[in-house]
Amino acid sequence: MLTVTQIAKKFGVSRTTILYYEREELLTPAYRSENGYRWYSQKEIQRLQAIISYRSYGLTISSIKTLLNRNGETQTQILKDHFNELEREIQNLRAQQKAVVVLLQEPTLLEENIVNKKRWVEIMIAAGFTEMDMVRWHQKFEELEPNEHQKFLESLGISGDEITKIRALKSTNGINIRCR
């Protein structure tokens, strides 16, 4: 039997991580002593090994919980779903790369204010962006570089009211950013 500290050292994770997995009901100690020490048996050690493996694949805690508890979904289905989600993320990143390449091929476009909102939207669509991809792009830009995002939107000739709406986009917000 191992304590929290011992099991954490064995797997190269923090003690906090082990306690987090307990709070999330992924890992429960086999025994708890009167002084509050948590003790983990071989069964829990094997379970932690599985948790750490699944986390290394990028699976969410809820997916791991489902996998370990076998709540209806099979391991194969959960892994396929995760694979498909990764594929969507890769496609989005590739679309962003294409948009950057377009700008790199014509770097003066932004500097000379030749690119307006309509042209930018056309570039994004040509690069394979959906409307939701564009929303996520603006959200990430706002999160990482709010001042630069403001300058960029101004460089496209977008009105102040519309810039305010774009910068306030939330993941559940359905504001239309396309130029019709």
Side-chain angles (χ1 to χ4, degrees), residues 86-152:
L86 289 173
E87 186 60 32
R88 281 189 293 278
E89 288 179 29
I90 290 168
Q91 293 305 318
N92 285 336
L93 290 172
R94 285 190 179 130
Q96 290 176 24
Q97 283 180 322
K98 287 179 188 176
V100 170
V101 166
V102 168
L103 287 175
L104 288 175
Q105 290 172 350
E106 299 180 56
T108 57
L109 287 178
L110 284 176
E111 294 165 10
E112 297 172 5
N113 291 328
I114 293 173
V115 175
N116 57 20
K117 177 185 173 185
K118 182 177 188 246
R119 180 69 180 124
W120 179 251
V121 170
E122 289 170 358
I123 290 169
M124 299 295 272
I125 291 169
F129 277 66
T130 65
E131 192 155 335
M132 196 62 224
D133 293 333
M134 288 185 245
V135 168
R136 281 192 288 267
W137 185 87
H138 280 287
Q139 290 167 335
K140 189 52 86 172
F141 199 167
E142 182 66 26
E143 177 188 327
L144 298 175
E145 295 289 339
N147 292 333
E148 293 303 314
H149 190 215
Q150 174 74 28
K151 289 177 193 173
F152 172 74

Side-chain angles (χ1 to χ4, degrees), residues 7-20:
I7 197 171
K9 274 186 186 174
K10 179 177 177 88
F11 285 96
V13 297
S14 70
R15 186 177 184 285
T16 307
T17 299
I18 302 296
L19 298 176
Y20 170 71

Side-chain angles (χ1 to χ4, degrees), residues 26-104:
L26 283 176
L27 186 67
T28 306
Y31 171 75
R32 201 167 193 156
S33 65
E34 287 180 25
N35 63 3
Y37 277 44
R38 294 165 174 88
W39 293 94
Y40 299 88
S41 69
Q42 190 58 38
K43 178 182 169 191
E44 288 78 31
I45 292 169
Q46 289 172 343
R47 187 171 174 100
L48 179 59
Q49 191 167 15
I51 293 167
I52 290 171
S53 290
Y54 288 137
R55 290 296 290 155
S56 74
Y57 305 148
L59 290 175
T60 64
I61 295 296
S62 63
S63 293
I64 294 171
K65 193 181 295 187
T66 301
L67 272 172
L68 294 175
N69 297 334
R70 299 281 195 250
N71 294 337
E73 288 187 78
T74 65
Q75 176 177 343
T76 303
Q77 186 57 51
I78 290 172
L79 291 175
K80 281 182 181 178
D81 290 346
H82 183 63
F83 177 84
N84 290 333
E85 178 62 31
L86 289 173
E87 186 60 32
R88 281 189 293 278
E89 288 179 29
I90 290 168
Q91 293 305 318
N92 285 336
L93 290 172
R94 285 190 179 130
Q96 290 176 24
Q97 283 180 322
K98 287 179 188 176
V100 170
V101 166
V102 168
L103 287 175
L104 288 175

